[in-house]
Amino acid sequence: GGWLLLQNCHLGLEFLDELMDTITTKESVSEDFRTWITTEAHPEFPINLLQSSIKFTNEPPQGVKAGLKRTYSAVTQDLLEVSKMPHWKPLLYAVAFLHTTVQERRKFGPLGWNIPYEFNQADFAASVQFVQNHLNDVDNKQGVNWSCVRYMLGEVQYGGRVTDDLDKALLNTYARVWFGEHMLSEKFCFYKGYVIPKGNTVEDYLQYIEQLPVIDTPEVFGLHPNANITYQTNLANETFSTIVSIQPKDSSTRGGETQEAVVQRLADEMLEKLPPDYNPHEVKAQLQKMGAIQPINIFLRQEIDRMQLVISRVRATLTDLKLAIDGSIIMSEELQDALDNIYDARIPKLWFRISWESTTLGFWFTELLERNQQFSSWLQDGRPNQFWMTGFFNPQGFLTAMRQETARMNLVKGWELDSVVLYSEVTKMMKEDVVGPPPADIGGVYIHGLFLEGAGWDRRNSKLVESAPKV
């Protein structure tokens, strides 16, 4: 008749099958017996146990209002009055605002943090404790040591989790802009409409927080308004992907065609368009003609090897899938994944692991043909006048090979590889205007296919400009 608590069950999934058998096969179970399970989301969690359970999720609050409300709901009146210093209450609120901000930026992905960090309530509690201890030790003549406060928040309490240099710079910027003697001024605000309220009770602060906007503009966190477009787009894509993944696949929904018939037709079309395999002897012979030991040709060989792997994997998967649909071979788990994803116009996991990102299977397959065309033309016709750099598996390797070639060409001038740095210049030429490589006295290569995020390019004046809002 008691309660059984099992914590972190994602670390012991095998036991859960045993637990399910024990519960379901037990002849007599007390009506007061309950099993409480805590777990992280895991793709291999027993689905029958999950479906038969009542589920609770603990999600972080969304938005500044919800975040501050949750934080101040745990603040007691004793904590609010723990220090008589005039800096205490503003500092407590500012740390709470910082805590909400660092958590809220996670939803913007790489725009918010280069690396997603798990900031939690322990970081806030440790920061508050530090501020309290610091104010207790403050000399009234010298005042608050703001350099110490900023360093502890930006480098230790929150910065201790941060490993990326740019993320660390962001945290230190928050600390520098928000924490200082100026935060006691009447004019201070985190952003327009977001100020430090004045009050003597927790209820005063909760009343102020209650009137904050439910939905915040990204500018509150120091981001461009367009960051919200990226967030909403990713959220919508994730929602649609989930809806598609749980749709039944057995029933016919496309003009009378079954799932197997649709996939078999698509497989035939892709197999027909799929480029032939590279002949290793021909590749070796062509590279020998161009200079097999030149860094740029070594890079080409590596790219062709990876493209051949993709072509072989796609051909094998489609061929086996057709045989499985016909009943000639058993439908394995990987083939079932390919069947479902091709039907939903998504990239099968088998292909995605060795290739590149793309929004749909159609775009992915078109890019396969275009990438292969660049390598085939390069191999047959010699080095191109321009390179589609985003069509490489390893663009960084291409840049390294170019630096190596440049250093070798200028060896008589005393150039060393370590001293060669990359320099980019955006020309006014269109892709079709390039009829030859860059002049020999300049060197380098022409590239195309790069894109900008968060800015636009003024071709007339050759400079970055604010990008037009997307609609």
Side-chain angles (χ1 to χ4, degrees):
W3 281 55
L4 172 66
L5 173 61
L6 303 173
Q7 300 187 80
N8 298 323
C9 288
H10 56 283
L11 303 177
L13 295 175
E14 293 181 0
F15 173 72
L16 295 181
D17 292 326
E18 182 182 338
L19 172 70
M20 190 65 182
D21 292 339
T22 302
I23 294 176
T24 54
T25 58
K26 194 73 173 175
E27 293 182 0
S28 60
V29 179
S30 170
E31 293 184 358
D32 297 325
F33 172 73
R34 298 290 185 274
T35 302
W36 183 281
I37 295 174
T38 70
T39 178
E40 289 183 1
H42 197 288
E44 296 180 12
F45 193 94
I47 190 67
N48 54 349
L49 179 59
L50 190 65
Q51 290 175 339
S52 61
S53 304
I54 300 173
K55 289 158 286 286
F56 296 86
T57 58
N58 185 20
E59 299 289 344
Q62 296 289 320
V64 172
K65 178 179 178 178
L68 288 173
K69 191 173 180 180
R70 180 176 182 177
T71 299
Y72 265 82
S73 296
V75 172
T76 63
Q77 189 64 31
D78 290 340
L79 177 62
L80 202 62
E81 298 173 353
V82 75
S83 174
K84 300 299 182 183
M85 291 280 291
H87 303 81
W88 167 242
K89 291 174 184 175
L91 270 171
L92 178 61
Y93 187 86
V95 172
F97 195 92
L98 174 65
H99 181 70
T100 298
T101 298
V102 297
Q103 286 189 318
E104 195 68 10
R105 282 186 73 106
R106 280 174 54 91
K107 76 178 187 181
F108 296 103
L111 294 177
W113 296 105
N114 287 331
I115 300 172
Y117 305 101
E118 291 291 340
F119 297 113
N120 55 42
Q121 199 65 23
D123 300 312
F124 172 73
S127 300
V128 170
Q129 188 63 55
F130 157 73
V131 171
Q132 179 183 335
N133 293 342
H134 182 73
L135 292 182
N136 289 340
D137 297 336
V138 160
D139 187 330
N140 291 330
K141 294 182 179 179
Q142 294 181 346
V144 177
N145 186 340
W146 291 109
S147 296
C148 176
V149 171
R150 287 192 285 263
Y151 180 84
M152 286 297 294
L153 293 175
E155 293 283 349
V156 180
Q157 304 294 2
Y158 286 95
R161 293 183 181 272
V162 175
T163 55
D164 184 86
D165 291 341
L166 293 175
D167 289 341
K168 184 67 69 71
L170 172 65
L171 259 179
N172 286 325
T173 301
Y174 279 134
R176 186 180 68 253
V177 174
W178 287 350
F179 293 87
E181 206 66 37
H182 60 283
M183 68 186 300
L184 302 178
S185 167
E186 294 288 340
K187 297 180 180 179
F188 175 81
C189 64
F190 300 102
Y191 179 71
K192 184 179 179 181
Y194 294 79
V195 300
I196 298 179
K198 298 192 182 300
N200 296 315
T201 65
V202 175
E203 191 61 34
D204 294 336
Y205 286 90
L206 288 174
Q207 286 179 2
Y208 169 78
I209 293 169
E210 196 62 42
Q211 56 87 37
L212 289 174
V214 176
I215 301 175
D216 311 291
T217 170
E219 292 170 294
V220 176
F221 316 111
L223 292 164
H224 191 277
N226 280 2
N228 205 42
I229 298 174
T230 303
Y231 164 66
Q232 296 290 353
T233 301
N234 293 339
L235 187 63
N237 289 338
E238 184 179 344
T239 303
F240 286 134
S241 177
T242 303
I243 292 172
V244 168
S245 66
I246 62 176
Q247 279 186 322
K249 303 290 192 292
D250 297 332
S251 59
S252 173
T253 57
R254 301 187 183 184
E257 283 186 302
T258 63
Q259 180 190 21
E260 289 77 8
V262 170
V263 172
Q264 188 154 22
R265 176 169 50 79
L266 292 173
D268 288 333
E269 293 176 2
M270 284 190 281
L271 282 171
E272 184 179 346
K273 296 177 182 177
L274 196 65
D277 292 338
Y278 286 91
N279 186 314
H281 301 293
E282 291 181 4
V283 170
K284 185 176 180 180
Q286 289 296 116
L287 289 174
Q288 289 288 356
K289 290 181 184 178
M290 294 190 292
I293 62 172
Q294 292 184 13
I296 205 79
N297 292 333
I298 294 174
F299 166 78
L300 173 60
R301 176 59 185 266
Q302 294 169 342
E303 290 289 302
I304 288 176
D305 288 344
R306 293 190 65 175
M307 178 53 72
Q308 178 58 52
L309 178 62
V310 174
I311 293 173
S312 300
R313 182 65 59 82
V314 171
R315 195 186 316 278
T317 302
L318 293 176
T319 303
D320 290 347
L321 195 54
K322 290 179 62 180
L323 292 173
I325 291 173
D326 292 339
S328 302
I329 63 174
I330 297 173
M331 180 74 74
S332 66
E333 185 178 337
E334 291 180 338
L335 289 178
Q336 184 64 49
D337 171 78
L339 178 74
D340 293 339
N341 279 307
I342 292 174
Y343 182 75
D344 294 331
R346 295 185 297 181
I347 308 162
K349 293 177 183 177
L350 271 173
W351 302 355
F352 182 74
R353 281 199 293 263
I354 59 172
S355 61
W356 50 88
E357 290 190 10
S358 192
T359 52
T360 66
L361 179 60
F363 288 132
W364 182 91
F365 192 78
T366 300
E367 193 168 340
L368 184 153
L369 301 179
E370 292 174 347
R371 284 170 177 249
N372 181 74
Q373 180 60 38
Q374 174 171 235
F375 300 140
S376 300
S377 300
W378 186 350
L379 193 64
Q380 297 299 325
D381 306 329
R383 184 177 302 191
N385 296 324
Q386 55 183 312
F387 298 87
W388 176 32
M389 195 166 123
T390 44
F392 294 143
F393 289 94
N394 182 18
Q396 191 62 45
F398 172 75
L399 296 176
T400 301
M402 185 188 69
R403 288 175 59 225
Q404 290 173 333
E405 285 205 348
T406 304
R408 291 183 184 183
M409 290 169 55
N410 294 275
L411 201 58
V412 294
K413 299 179 182 178
W415 287 25
E416 296 180 358
L417 179 60
D418 292 341
S419 63
V420 176
V421 296
L422 294 172
Y423 170 76
S424 302
E425 180 182 344
V426 183
T427 71
K428 294 187 177 181
M429 291 188 295
M430 300 296 289
K431 186 170 63 172
E432 297 76 16
D433 300 331
V434 179
V435 294
D441 57 330
I442 296 178
V445 292
Y446 288 124
I447 62 170
H448 65 91
L450 303 184
F451 55 90
L452 286 169
E453 184 173 3
W457 182 255
D458 183 349
R459 189 180 298 275
R460 182 188 299 274
N461 299 308
S462 298
K463 65 178 184 179
L464 289 171
V465 293
E466 285 284 343
S467 59
K470 299 177 184 178
V471 293

